[in-house]
Amino acid sequence: QKEVEQNSGPLSVPEGAIASLNCTYSDRGSQSFFWYRQYSGKSPELIMFIYSNGDKEDGRFTAQLNKASQYVSLLIRDSQPSDSATYLCAVQLSGGSYIPTFGRGTSLIVHP
Amino acid sequence: DAGVIQSPRHEVTEMGQEVTLRCKPISGHNSLFWYRQTMMRGLELLIYFNNNVPIDDSGMPEDRFSAKMPNASFSTLKIQPSEPRDSAVYFCASSPGQGDEKLFFGSGTQLSVL
């Protein structure tokens, strides 16, 4: 079964630090990778996507993709308490399916 | 754009009753997804529509669950009869489709079956 794995956390970091969230996937042919942020009691919201190996930066967020090692990560620089949320990794698998498969999410806590 | 609209926001019902959840996707989006989220199992895909046609319903738990998309602007998820184990948050999401599957989620329906 094709899977997307994340450490459930919680990951606790001090305000101003870099938070590093990791995700591994089993389907080597996966093409598209997404990060969603979900605040408690709210719906997931897309914050980053990446298709090619390497880094992609958007403000304080950087997505990193390594297809050879089958992992994708999300770095949050200068973490703020407002970044405290659950971060869901989603992978669009190969084989023509357009259905993203979600990991269970990592809970991030940024403390002042 | 109003985003993906789901109703109701909360539903409390008794075991055995019929439950209908509703979703209006973003105009112009060709793909629609129904997901269920629980603490134990995370976010699970129930069914995926493309251009109003059900493409993958392998995530639908059993025959008690059914989903329809009669037109591009409306979809329903029905549970009949409902059971306590169906209690979860049900999300509808839409995406532009054609391989661009960046999902936009609705606010969700919190379902409690007593």
Side-chain angles (χ1 to χ4, degrees):
Chain A
Q1 182 166 343
K2 299 174 179 177
E3 296 181 341
V4 178
E5 300 286 344
Q6 296 182 255
N7 188 318
S8 62
L11 173 66
S12 182
V13 300
E15 184 174 358
I18 296 175
S20 178
L21 305 161
N22 299 312
C23 171
T24 60
Y25 57 94
S26 61
D27 181 13
R28 185 170 290 278
S30 298
Q31 300 294 319
S32 306
F33 307 84
F34 308 88
W35 283 99
Y36 290 80
R37 177 179 60 200
Q38 186 175 24
Y39 292 115
S40 179
K42 302 296 185 182
S43 57
E45 173 193 16
L46 179 68
I47 56 172
M48 287 289 286
F49 57 91
I50 187 168
Y51 303 133
S52 304
N53 275 330
D55 295 359
K56 178 181 178 182
E57 187 174 316
D58 184 1
R60 296 187 296 112
F61 298 101
T62 299
Q64 298 178 318
L65 175 60
N66 184 324
K67 289 188 177 181
S69 300
Q70 294 176 239
Y71 85 79
V72 56
S73 61
L74 178 70
L75 302 179
I76 306 175
R77 291 182 301 280
D78 188 24
S79 296
Q80 302 297 310
S82 59
D83 295 326
S84 299
T86 295
Y87 290 81
L88 301 166
C89 172
V91 176
Q92 190 167 312
L93 306 178
S94 63
S97 169
Y98 294 133
I99 302 171
T101 297
F102 282 83
R104 295 286 302 275
T106 298
S107 174
L108 172 67
I109 299 172
V110 181
H111 54 87
Chain B
D1 196 325
V4 177
I5 300 173
Q6 288 188 248
S7 64
R9 290 295 305 274
H10 303 275
E11 178 79 33
V12 180
T13 190
E14 293 187 347
M15 183 174 62
Q17 296 299 305
E18 178 179 296
V19 175
T20 300
L21 311 181
R22 297 173 177 79
C23 175
K24 176 179 169 56
I26 293 173
S27 177
H29 281 191
N30 294 317
S31 295
L32 184 139
F33 304 79
W34 282 100
Y35 283 91
R36 176 172 67 177
Q37 188 174 43
T38 61
M39 288 293 292
M40 291 295 293
R41 301 175 67 89
L43 201 59
E44 301 175 281
L45 177 73
L46 298 177
I47 188 168
Y48 158 57
F49 291 89
N50 184 253
N51 291 323
N52 312 337
V53 176
I55 303 300
D56 187 336
D57 65 354
S58 59
M60 296 286 264
E62 49 201 88
D63 292 345
R64 297 185 298 107
F65 286 67
S66 63
K68 294 181 180 180
M69 192 166 185
N71 56 61
S73 59
F74 185 65
S75 177
T76 60
L77 178 68
K78 184 177 294 186
I79 308 173
Q80 167 63 22
S82 58
E83 297 183 1
R85 60 192 169 121
D86 301 330
S87 298
V89 180
Y90 290 80
F91 287 108
C92 174
S94 70
S95 73
Q98 287 100 40
D100 182 357
E101 304 307 338
K102 303 179 186 71
L103 301 189
F104 294 80
F105 284 81
S107 299
T109 295
Q110 174 74 61
L111 174 64
S112 297
V113 183
L114 307 178

